């Protein structure tokens, strides 16, 4: 497919997606493709305001033919005070998530929502949970973020996610009409073994990476890491991002993108800080074509014959 723009409804025309295909595999019919969307937004400390943004974008995406829409990490709430989100944390059958389930049902669209502040094992902790909802409004699967962001960001600030968040311990992949999905969240991106596990042990075809990268780390590593994960797993990668200033203490890098199994960026918003969504038509036959032409699943050696050595 040649470089082209995709027009969406007038309120977000400025955020229309750029679609690009770089490999020339055998042509496929439109029926074998699925239109997916990746959201970019700036969440704040107001549940209703964030829901209004999510609701508007979902309805616009559905009108544009999107069947699967992916939102970034902390889509529903970003607080300005330590521990604020823990006080709002709810189980997945609580009123906050049920509101989004109703939105998916009303719009007949699948939603990827991650991470959500799920009630944790005690009053002082939450889980950072990636939730997958189908077009009927049913929660199909959920993944609790495994790798927590306890980092001293150079020239920025110190983050200690584990202070209020309990890590998950389960790798999650789930079947969908859009292929087998591998669920992750943000900082997980820096741990390639998780994505190798999703590809080679759980047969993922599409990797989801909802995120809220800091401005500093995003400028340095965001696109590089995402393209690397796509290339080394030969999967589509859909990476929804928080963007811009949420409050006086927190700013996110933005740049929501979709990447194909060859590592080519096929959709992104023209402005990495704007609110909107980009769209792309994903085709699972391209996943199989890439994997057939470069069969790394057959060639990989570490698990089968690699022997340890010491000097």
């Amino acid at each position: 497919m040649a470089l082209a723009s995709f027009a969406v409804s007038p309120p977000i025309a400025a955020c229309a997606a750029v679609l690009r295909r770089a490999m020339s595999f055998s042509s496929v019919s439109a029926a074998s493709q699925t239109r997916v969307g990746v959201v970019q937004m700036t969440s704040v400390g107001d549940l209703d305001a964030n829901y209004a943004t999510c609701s508007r974008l979902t309805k616009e995406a559905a009108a544009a033919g999107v069947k699967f829409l992916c939102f970034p990490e902390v889509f529903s709430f970003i607080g300005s005070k330590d521990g604020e989100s823990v006080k709002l944390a709810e189980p997945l059958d609580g009123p906050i998530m049920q509101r989004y389930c109703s939105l998916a049902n009303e719009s007949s669209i699948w939603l990827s929502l991650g991470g959500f502040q799920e009630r944790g094992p005690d009053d002082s902790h939450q889980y950072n949970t990636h939730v997958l909802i189908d077009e009927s409004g049913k929660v199909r699967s959920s993944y609790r973020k495994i790798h927590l962001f306890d980092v001293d960001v150079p020239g920025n600030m110190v983050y200690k996610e584990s202070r209020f968040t309990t890590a998950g311990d389960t790798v999650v992949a789930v079947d969908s009409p859009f292929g087998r999905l591998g669920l992750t969240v943000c900082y997980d991106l820096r741990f390639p073994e998780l994505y190798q596990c999703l590809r080679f042990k759980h047969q993922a075809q599409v990797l989801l990476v909802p995120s809220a990268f800091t401005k500093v780390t995003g400028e340095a590593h965001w696109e590089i890491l995402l393209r690397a994960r796509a290339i080394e797993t030969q999967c589509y990668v859909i990476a929804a991002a928080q963007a811009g200033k949420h409050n006086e203490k927190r700013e996110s890098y933005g740049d929501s993108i979709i990447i194909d199994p060859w590592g080519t960026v096929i959709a992104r918003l023209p402005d990495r800080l704007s609110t909107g969504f980009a769209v792309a038509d994903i085709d699972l036959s391209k996943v199989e074509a890439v994997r057939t032409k470069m069969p790394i699943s057959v060639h990989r050696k570490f698990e089968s014959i690699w022997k340890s050595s010491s000097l």
Side-chain angles (χ1 to χ4, degrees), residues 41 44-55 75-76 99-100:
M41 64 185 293
V44 295
D46 185 324
L47 289 168
D48 289 336
N50 295 328
Y51 177 77
T53 298
C54 293
S55 177
F75 63 96
S76 63
R99 200 176 187 187
Y100 286 89

Side-chain angles (χ1 to χ4, degrees), residues 138-202:
K138 177 183 177 183
V139 174
R140 280 294 187 97
S141 190
S142 63
Y143 160 79
R144 292 169 176 169
K145 184 180 181 183
I146 292 174
H147 302 98
L148 302 184
F149 194 58
D150 291 356
V151 176
D152 185 352
V153 176
N156 193 270
M157 62 182 293
V158 176
Y159 293 83
K160 190 75 171 176
E161 187 176 12
S162 65
R163 183 179 175 190
F164 298 106
T165 303
T166 297
D169 60 5
T170 304
V171 176
V172 176
V174 60
D175 289 325
S176 79
F178 330 107
R180 188 154 175 82
L181 309 175
L183 277 60
T184 70
V185 177
C186 199
Y187 190 51
D188 285 331
L189 181 60
R190 294 183 182 273
F191 301 88
E193 60 271 21
L194 172 59
Y195 297 85
Q196 297 285 306
C197 180
L198 284 165
R199 159 71 204 276
F200 297 110
K201 290 186 179 297
H202 296 275

Side-chain angles (χ1 to χ4, degrees), residues 270-310:
D271 178 353
R272 71 172 178 85
L273 296 178
S274 62
T275 293
F277 62 90
V279 301
D281 294 327
I282 66 171
D283 176 14
L284 296 181
S285 71
K286 184 166 187 176
V287 174
E288 296 312 310
V290 172
R291 293 178 181 184
T292 298
K293 291 174 181 289
M294 189 178 291
I296 61 175
S297 62
V298 177
H299 297 158
R300 62 196 301 265
K301 304 294 186 181
F302 280 87
E303 287 190 2
S304 58
I305 65 171
W306 193 263
K307 293 180 174 62
S308 62
S309 63
S310 59

Side-chain angles (χ1 to χ4, degrees), residues 189 192 195-196 207 221-235 237 259 261-263:
L189 181 60
Y195 297 85
Q196 297 285 306
L207 302 172
H221 303 143
W222 173 246
E223 183 176 333
I224 296 169
L225 287 170
L226 289 167
R227 294 183 68 188
R229 297 297 89 83
I231 293 165
E232 69 196 12
T233 63
Q234 300 171 316
C235 289
V237 171
I259 303 169
W262 191 243

Side-chain angles (χ1 to χ4, degrees), residues 239-257:
Q242 289 285 346
K245 294 203 71 172
H246 309 283
N247 51 55
E248 292 303 314
K249 296 180 180 179
R250 185 164 178 177
E251 182 177 5
S252 294
Y253 177 68
D255 196 23
S256 293
I257 54 179

